[in-house]
Structure formats: structure tokens, C-alpha cells
Amino acid sequence: MKNTNGAESFYFDRVWRKSRSMAQTIRVPLAVLLCAFGWARASAAPVVLAPDGAWCWFGNPKALFKGGILYSSYVRNADGRTALSAFDPKTGVSTELWASGFVSRDDHNNAGLLELNDGRMLAIYAKHHSEKQFYYRLSWNANPVTAADWGPEQICANTTAPVTYSNPFQLRGESGRIYNFTRNLNFNPTYLTSDDSGATWSVPKIFIKVGIGVRPYVQYCSDFDRRIDFLYTDGHPDSVKTSLFHGYYEGGGFYKTDGTFLKNLKDGPLLHDKPALEQGSVIYQYSEKPTTDYNDHIPFGRAWCWDLAYDKNKAPVAVFSVNSFAPDKTVNWADRRLHYYYARWNGSAWTKRLIAQAGAPLYDAAYDYAGGITVDPSNPDVIYLSTNAADPFSLSDLKNVPLRAGNRYEIFRGETHDGGLGFAWEPVTKDSASDNLRPYVPRGNTFPYGVAWFSGKYVSYGTWNTALLGIFDKELKPSPKDPAAVLSLMHSVADWQLKVRLPENQLTNWIQGAGYTGFMALSQLPGGRKYEEAMAGVGEITQWKLGPQCRFHADDMCVGQMYLDLYARLRKPEMIADTRQVLDEFVAINAPEAPMPVAPSNLVSHWTWCDALFMAPAVLAKLHTITGDQKYLDALMREYKRSTDFLFDKEENLYFRDSGYFKKREANGAKVFWGRGNGWVFGGLANVLKSLPKDAPERAYFEAIFQKMAPRIIATQQPDGLWRASLLDPDSFPLKETSASGLFCYGLAWGINSGLLDRATTLPAVEKAWAALAACVTTEGKLTHVQPVGADPGNFKPESTEAYGVGAFLLAGTEVYRLLQPASLRVAPQE
């Protein structure tokens, strides 16, 4: 490349803005339980919260952190008692604090837990639709970690109908009034209040009324100040074609999501059968009409609510399931499939997206029961789900997706960086001998990786043999072989780069253009939408013009790769108008008979230096694919062959940088083959091949060069996993270099993914390279060890960085991410 000013990175300030009767310590050997329940290590070892327990997905919070202790409610299978345990993450010890006086083997009976404003705890629980009363316990103090810290079991018999579920909340803004939401009168959602910290209770009142015998199901969350949100169905999906709604209570009134007033609490209940007046905001509308366009948020079938939380802006976030292929009970259990959705209020509307396949129903008699999905209330960008689908994140065939061997349910963690458009997935359990069900993130969770669930044999809501487990990890130290870690690191590097300033007149140079190729690759992975928006913002600033040096310079064409990629997604003609005009003129002046200039200084229209083979060829390939015009492909072939015939060394299967290096030698007598120069060629070949139609006969030419270079590149990799500025004389240039290494890692990983390179012989090089590249990223996300702008091997400062190095790193990361994805964790590009 020309020795131009290597200004570091992007000027994106403008672009970025666009965008538990007796104490009993649990001493069951952990190893025995983990072996029995088939846990597979994810981040930290799981803990046993209870050796015998299960819970329903209604009745919350069922677990919460208070004073660093995790309190978890569950129902014991051994005797059917509702119980509470306290787990101390510092000691790893879990103690059962108390159990209910009644026996009722039914997982619906877990307690809803509440930390009171005075620091004490309240637990409320009820038998599943069998008694006209509920039970509750209050702690004597604010540190209730022993049985002696808890008061006796008490009964509230104010109601005239059976009670199921408990969901208690206390509002500071209402002088500490407690609301306990249950299913009670007329099977409808009902509430009772207490103004004396749970000592006494009001008579119950219905707050959502549908019809006689119809059972709406509700999930709740609260800010514990003035507001309580509710996510509800208009019945049980077993008998009603359920839709999904949201509303909230605040200051004595009910409101739709957007703040539209519905009704005063004192005038309740909300009469859901009067939709024009008293119905919550629709999140999901039932439909019997199937569609193949699932990712455009047009689901169909019956919905069931699973969890609700607030994002950092206090906007609600919901997860729910849909039974799309079982409109009645005539469909066999094995043929039914459930699906998970993620929904978010964006300030003006609810957005929802199909995110995973839940697989078949939990058991034959419960056609709409899934394994479970939950939101982390402290970070709703993180969710956990249970599925028995063999390939849960492949969304192309929703009806015929196969199930796991033995129909085993496994738990996965997902994280989104773009509001739910895409998720990065990692397994929490794997290859389990038993099912892992109903994950739940406790309220007050401060762990980046914090989730509880039960594992074992689950037959029905009245029969199970499961243990309550959890993983709570303060520090995530994932392996470089973990795809979620790869994605997270790429986001860190990309985000750091986006904060670096650059004058607008440098946005179209090759330094940035090469960087953009990495951002565009990253934009196709989960969480990548913001990077696409950042690139589009660059285009708006540059008015979609090519580079600034001269009209047909390969360096100036590089930014066109980003323009063409965006056009392929957004189809806005202005994005490629200038690129097409310049390339039309370029094709016209490069007549077939024109000779290759020998002098390396003549860089106007011919590619006399190897770096050019990254900058311009992919632009021609992409333009050919978009337009179908053969002239672009013909020009690409003509110029590429000229350059290769001129610069390719058939003895070493490497490229000279330009003709000025034909006779030069390194200190050890070896020919001079620049690391990044050959990285440009190798990465550029991958870009061209990715851009060409699969049936293009011209592919064979590029594949042959690619397959010749790959073994030589692997042979020059150094023991630490990276390459040096000089491929054949690394001792003279001992500093590791990440721009060449990123491009080589990218090409090799893409070669495996595309089937052009043998996995067994190539994968070790890729794994070593990526681990070494990752080690060159600072805690802030800065990629180091990038050789500055130049034309040949040279020494430089380790802290050096450049946008093109980041581009190479992101290109490598995207292919490594895909390479590490098992079939069951495939994530399609987010177009």
C-alpha cells in the first residue's frame, strides 16, 4: 500500500448515535447428583439448591437473592410439602429452612417470595385449586437463614373460592401496600392487599374478568415502587384460542402499554370481553393461518405467557410460547411442536421475534407445556430456555424439526445485543441423562451467569423425581472455543473501534474500507444490527462515493464492498450508483490487449501490487452477482490473471508485494514475502469466492490458487499461533503481527466452512490463531500488534492498531464463530 497517513480508525460519533419446619442442611453428594442428572459443565459447577424439588412456572418470585443468600421455594416430591431453602454462594451450602404443614404433591404450590420494605421476608403459597384459603410465613428478622428466623405457618381464609398461585409485590409509593395476585374468584386473576406487612389481608377482588370458567394466565413484574405489569392470555390454551396481552397498574389505575388509561382499580375488574375499552395491549394475536415468514414476526396458533421483566429504560420485555401445529387434540403428541418468542416494547409498539424451537410438549396430557423460558430480570438481554428440539435454533422448518434422542430437554443461555433481533446461544446443560426444565433467574441476581432449574424425571405436575440445581458465576471465563465467547469478543473489539474519531474525508480510504468488510461480516451474526446501521451511517456521510485518491485506484474501490453488501440487503439504488459508474469506466479502459505495466508506481488501473487483490476484485465479483452483468466478471478474471501471472511465485506459492521485491532477499537469504501482503491476497480470495455465484465456472481458478496458498500459509505459522511481518524470515521480525494473522485465520476458517480445505489438517492452525489473536485484545477491546501502514516487513510498537487490523480480526471471528457452532446451535445470518 501507499505509505499514507495511517490514522487510527473511524469517526463514528455521528453514526454511533444513529443507531424454605426444621433446619436440614442438604448434604447429598454433589457429584452423585450431577452424574444422575447428566449436567454438562457450562461456566461454573452447578449447586444443589434442593435434592428433591420442582416448581411451576407461575407463582413468582419463586427464588430471590437477599443479603447475598439465594432463597428458593419448591415442592418436595417425597412428601408433597412446599418448602424453602437458603443457599450461600460463598460456602456452597444449601439449607432447607421450613416446609408446609400440609401435604399436596403438586408443583403449582411453590411459594411466591417477597422482601419487605423493613427487610423481613414473606412467603405465600396455596394448594392447587383445592382449598378456599392460602398460606403464608413471615420471617422474624431481615437475615432469615435458619428455621428459628421464621414465624409459624399462617392461613388467610378471606376468599370464597379455591386459590392457586401467589405473586406478591409491595409498593413503596403506596405506603408499603402489598398486593398478592392469585387465581381465585371465577378462576380469574384476583388480588388481595395488606397494609400491615402481611399480618392481615383484604377480601379478594377480580382484576381481569373474561368469562365463566375461563382461566386467563398471568405473569407479573414490578418496580416495587408504584407500578405492577401483567402479561396475560385470555384463557387456557387447552380450551381457548389464546392471544397475548400486556398492561400495567400504577397509581390506582390500569393502563395499556403505551399509557392509554383503561380503568381505575376501584372500578375494577377489567372486563376483557370489552376489548375496545378494557383490554390490554395486544402483543400476539391468535391466528389459524400458517405462514412461512416466521422471522417477520407473523406467528400463528395458541400463545402461553412465560416471563416478564423491565429493560434499563423501564420498558417491558416478555417471553412466550406458541403452539402452532396443534389446534385441537386430534394431533398426535409426537407431531406437535412449540416455539419460543421474545417480545419487547420499543417505546411506541411491541416488537416480537421467533427465537427458538421449544420442541414437543412436555408430556402427552399437556399439549401446550414447554420446557420453559425465562428472562434475567437484571438484564433482559439474557434469557434461558429449555427445549428438546434437536436443532432448536434452526428456524427454517418449524413443523418437522426432529427431537433429541430420548426427547431429553436441555437448557441454553441466549444473549442479544440488538433488542432481540438476534441471539448468541450457548449450552447450560448438554448430553444429559435426564431432563432439565423450567429455568428461572432469581430476582436480585447479580451474576452474569445465574440461573436455577430442576433436573431429573418429570412425569406431570403431580409426579416427578427431580433436584433443584443452579449455576451462579461471578466471572465468566469462557474458552476461546466457545462461540458465545468469540461473539462477545468481536463485539468488544468492534465497539472499541466505533468510538475512535476520524475526519470525514478519510472515511472512504482503504484503511477504513478494509475495516468495513469486518463490520459487515459481523453484522450478519446475532447482535449485528447496530454494526449494519453504523455502516449505513458511513454511506450517508460519504454519499456512497468511492475513495479519494484517483478514479480507478484499487485502494479507492475497497469501500465499495461495504456499499454493495448493504445494497444487497436494503436495495437502495443510491448505494451503488457511484460504484457502478466507476466500475463501468474501469472495465472500458482496461482493454484485453493492454499490457501489464512493470513499474510498481503505475497504480492507476492495473493491479501491480498484491494488496490490490483484496481491495478491488471482490467489488467486481459482488457487482456481477448483483447485476448479472458478465462484463464485471470478465474484467475481474482478466485483471486478476494479469496480476497473478506477474506477482505469484510458483516455488513458494506466495505473492510478491510488487515487482520491486522480485530480487530482494531477507537477512537469512530468503525471498521477501510480506505477511500482510499475502494476507490481503488470501483473505481477498475468500471474499471473491463468497461473492461469486455457486455455479460460476470462474470459481475453479480462484479455488486453485486458494488451495495452493493454504498449506504454505499454515507452514509459516509460528508456534504462538500467529504470523510475522516476514513469512520466511520471522527471526528478523520477531514481533507477532495481527493484521496478517487475522486475514490468514479468516481464510483458513472460511476454507473449512466452505469445504475447500480439509478440516483435520486446517482446524489446529485456526484454533491456535484465534486463541492468539484473542490474547492481543485489551480489556477495553483494543486490538494490538497491528503493523502500521507500509509495503513490506518491518518492526513496530506492540500497541499499534489500525482499522484494517480490526477488519481482519472481525472477518476471522465471524468464520471461527460459524466453525465452532454445532448443528444444534447454528445461527443463521441476520439479514
Side-chain angles (χ1 to χ4, degrees):
M1 289 298 163
K2 280 194 170 184
N3 288 296
T4 57
N5 178 18
E8 292 186 350
S9 265
F10 305 80
Y11 175 63
F12 277 145
D13 285 357
R14 290 175 56 184
V15 178
W16 192 237
R17 288 196 295 268
K18 290 185 182 181
S19 6
R20 150 184 32 156
S21 327
M22 61 183 293
Q24 177 185 358
T25 300
I26 298 171
R27 301 188 184 279
V28 177
L30 179 61
V32 173
L33 282 170
L34 300 187
C35 179
F37 299 120
W39 173 80
R41 189 180 194 282
S43 174
V47 295
V48 179
L49 305 178
D52 175 14
W55 52 31
C56 186
W57 74 89
F58 294 101
N60 291 306
K62 61 175 98 319
L64 60 81
F65 277 98
K66 173 177 162 30
I69 302 298
L70 173 60
Y71 297 87
S72 303
S73 175
Y74 48 92
V75 182
R76 303 193 307 216
N77 181 62
D79 57 11
R81 298 180 188 274
T82 300
L84 183 74
S85 71
F87 168 73
D88 187 342
K90 296 179 181 178
T91 64
V93 174
S94 187
T95 304
E96 188 170 280
L97 302 178
W98 52 257
S100 64
F102 65 79
V103 173
S104 177
R105 191 177 287 107
D106 191 311
D107 69 16
H108 292 65
N109 302 347
N110 60 261
L113 306 177
L114 176 65
E115 179 180 0
L116 299 173
N117 291 343
D118 61 12
R120 294 180 300 148
M121 282 188 67
L122 170 66
I124 310 178
Y125 44 103
K127 292 185 182 180
H128 179 200
H129 193 65
S130 60
E131 292 182 333
K132 299 177 182 179
Q133 60 187 28
F134 65 80
Y135 301 78
Y136 64 100
R137 287 177 182 263
L138 282 159
S139 72
W140 298 117
N141 54 54
N143 188 34
V145 294
T146 70
D149 296 321
W150 285 85
E153 183 173 85
Q154 301 183 67
I155 296 175
C156 174
N158 291 2
T159 183
T160 59
V163 181
T164 305
Y165 309 129
S166 296
N167 301 269
F169 304 98
Q170 185 173 34
L171 300 184
R172 294 182 179 85
E174 294 190 13
S175 301
R177 170 169 285 185
I178 298 172
Y179 288 81
N180 179 31
F181 292 90
T182 72
R183 188 180 77 199
N184 184 214
L185 305 177
N186 193 39
F187 283 94
N188 284 168
T190 303
Y191 71 95
L192 301 89
T193 63
S194 173
D195 292 320
D196 52 13
S197 298
T200 61
W201 295 89
S202 71
V203 296
K205 294 182 180 180
I206 297 174
F207 87 96
I208 299 177
K209 187 175 183 180
V210 180
I212 297 176
V214 178
R215 296 174 290 165
Y217 282 76
V218 193
Q219 295 287 358
Y220 307 85
C221 72
S222 175
D223 65 358
F224 295 88
D225 182 20
R226 296 182 55 83
R227 176 165 166 160
I228 301 171
D229 284 56
F230 44 95
L231 172 74
Y232 71 101
T233 66
D234 42 359
H236 191 298
D238 188 44
S239 56
V240 175
K241 297 175 179 179
T242 49
S243 298
L244 195 66
F245 307 86
H246 171 266
Y248 65 91
Y249 163 80
E250 185 173 27
F254 291 114
Y255 300 86
K256 288 177 175 285
T257 312
D258 65 359
T260 300
F261 176 75
L262 290 172
K263 200 172 195 176
N264 284 316
L265 178 67
K266 63 182 179 64
D267 299 325
L270 288 173
L271 302 178
H272 181 84
D273 290 341
K274 295 182 178 180
L277 297 175
E278 300 177 20
Q279 194 176 85
S281 297
V282 178
I283 298 178
Y284 165 85
Q285 183 65 54
Y286 171 84
S287 172
E288 293 185 0
K289 182 179 179 181
T291 174
T292 57
D293 205 4
Y294 300 104
N295 281 320
D296 277 349
H297 328 309
I298 312 175
F300 71 101
R302 300 168 301 179
W304 217 345
C305 51
W306 276 92
D307 206 1
L308 182 66
Y310 300 121
D311 68 14
K312 62 183 180 181
N313 298 317
K314 299 295 180 68
V317 177
V319 288
F320 62 99
S321 61
V322 171
N323 186 339
S324 298
F325 295 95
D328 57 58
K329 291 187 177 182
T330 63
V331 178
N332 292 330
W333 173 87
D335 295 328
R336 296 171 181 267
R337 294 293 183 270
L338 304 172
H339 316 295
Y340 289 130
Y341 286 81
Y342 181 91
R344 201 159 190 155
W345 177 254
N346 65 11
S348 59
W350 278 96
T351 63
K352 57 183 174 289
R353 188 172 182 85
L354 171 67
I355 59 170
Q357 306 213 41
L362 193 55
Y363 53 92
D364 191 24
Y367 297 115
D368 297 276
Y369 282 30
I373 183 170
T374 188
V375 178
D376 185 337
S378 63
N379 179 13
D381 287 343
V382 173
I383 62 174
Y384 295 84
L385 60 83
S386 169
T387 175
N388 66 347
D391 195 4
F393 309 113
S394 177
L395 306 178
S396 59
D397 183 356
L398 301 186
K399 185 174 182 179
N400 300 310
V401 59
L403 304 180
R404 294 181 184 280
N407 295 324
R408 291 286 176 253
Y409 288 80
E410 304 285 8
I411 293 176
F412 298 86
R413 178 184 189 271
E415 184 167 5
T416 180
H417 296 277
D418 54 13
L421 294 176
F423 281 82
W425 298 100
E426 58 181 316
V428 176
T429 64
K430 186 178 181 182
D431 300 328
S432 302
S434 299
D435 290 330
N436 299 280
L437 300 166
R438 295 180 185 163
Y440 182 76
V441 179
R443 174 174 166 75
N445 172 60
T446 60
F447 294 88
Y449 203 121
V451 63
W453 72 96
F454 60 81
S455 180
K457 184 177 182 180
Y458 185 87
V459 180
S460 72
Y461 65 84
T463 306
W464 63 87
N465 182 15
T466 60
L468 199 63
L469 305 179
I471 291 180
F472 303 99
D473 193 3
K474 275 290 185 187
E475 295 184 17
L476 295 178
K477 298 178 181 179
S479 163
K481 296 183 181 181
D482 180 352
V486 172
L487 185 62
S488 177
L489 185 60
M490 283 194 287
H491 282 296
S492 176
V493 170
D495 291 348
W496 184 92
Q497 193 68 50
L498 287 176
K499 296 175 183 178
V500 178
R501 300 174 64 90
L502 190 79
E504 292 186 11
N505 63 5
Q506 294 184 25
L507 289 177
T508 58
N509 66 27
W510 68 268
I511 297 173
Q512 312 310 320
Y516 302 153
T517 62
F519 277 91
M520 290 306 299
L522 177 58
S523 74
Q524 298 186 53
L525 299 185
R529 185 60 57 86
K530 68 178 180 180
Y531 305 116
E532 178 180 295
E533 291 174 351
M535 295 300 97
V538 170
E540 291 173 6
I541 295 170
T542 64
Q543 298 182 4
W544 311 100
K545 301 292 185 183
L546 294 184
Q549 295 186 68
C550 56
R551 198 153 180 79
F552 307 125
H553 199 297
D555 289 2
D556 290 352
M557 295 181 185
C558 187
V559 67
Q561 296 186 53
M562 180 262 281
Y563 298 161
L564 289 159
D565 285 343
L566 283 172
Y567 174 82
R569 302 180 195 181
L570 305 176
R571 296 290 170 174
K572 296 182 179 180
E574 66 271 19
M575 293 178 168
I576 64 169
D578 184 64
T579 301
R580 189 166 186 176
Q581 181 179 341
V582 172
L583 268 293
D584 284 346
E585 296 176 17
F586 170 82
V587 170
I589 69 167
N590 281 8
E593 64 274 10
M596 170 63 83
V598 174
S601 60
N602 189 338
L603 306 176
V604 175
S605 62
H606 295 289
W607 305 334
T608 61
W609 74 114
C610 70
D611 314 36
L613 300 185
F614 181 93
M615 308 301 159
V619 179
L620 286 160
K622 291 174 187 292
L623 194 53
H624 163 70
T625 299
I626 287 172
T627 66
D629 196 325
Q630 185 65 27
K631 70 181 182 182
Y632 302 117
L633 187 49
D634 290 342
L636 165 61
M637 294 301 297
R638 182 167 63 247
E639 293 304 314
Y640 206 103
K641 286 180 178 179
R642 284 176 176 171
S643 187
T644 296
D645 291 344
F646 189 51
L647 299 174
F648 188 64
D649 186 299
K650 295 180 180 180
E651 294 178 357
E652 296 290 348
N653 286 328
L654 296 170
Y655 280 75
F656 290 105
R657 198 275 176 173
D658 56 54
S659 61
Y661 295 86
F662 288 168
K663 296 181 180 181
K664 287 184 179 181
R665 295 295 182 265
E666 298 284 16
N668 64 359
K671 296 177 182 177
V672 180
F673 290 109
W674 184 33
R676 187 163 69 236
N678 280 272
W680 288 131
V681 179
F682 197 59
L685 282 166
N687 283 347
V688 168
L689 287 165
K690 284 167 60 176
S691 304
L692 287 178
K694 297 297 183 182
D695 58 352
E698 292 84 357
R699 293 180 62 89
Y701 173 78
F702 298 105
E703 290 175 355
I705 301 173
F706 185 81
Q707 291 172 322
K708 286 179 182 179
M709 292 187 71
R712 193 69 181 105
I713 288 169
I714 293 174
T716 60
Q717 185 180 28
Q718 298 303 297
D720 64 0
L722 297 182
W723 285 261
R724 301 299 184 259
S726 175
L727 295 181
L728 303 189
D729 188 14
D731 292 340
S732 293
F733 305 93
L735 189 63
K736 53 192 176 183
E737 205 283 304
T738 54
S739 62
S741 298
L743 290 163
F744 289 145
C745 182
Y746 163 55
L748 294 172
W750 179 83
I752 299 173
N753 288 333
S754 65
L756 284 180
L757 299 180
D758 177 68
R759 184 184 181 96
T761 58
T762 310
L763 184 58
V766 173
E767 291 179 336
K768 286 172 59 179
W770 180 253
L773 283 166
C776 293
V777 177
T778 69
T779 56
E780 294 82 9
K782 176 184 176 181
L783 176 69
T784 63
H785 294 81
V786 178
Q787 184 185 359
V789 174
D792 52 15
N795 293 308
F796 55 94
K797 295 180 179 180
E799 63 270 22
S800 175
T801 192
E802 287 286 0
Y804 51 77
V806 169
F809 180 89
L810 298 178
L811 286 169
T814 56
E815 292 302 324
V816 170
Y817 177 83
R818 293 187 175 112
L819 182 64
L820 295 176
Q821 288 282 346
S824 62
L825 290 176
R826 280 197 308 272
V827 178
Q830 302 298 306
E831 297 295 350

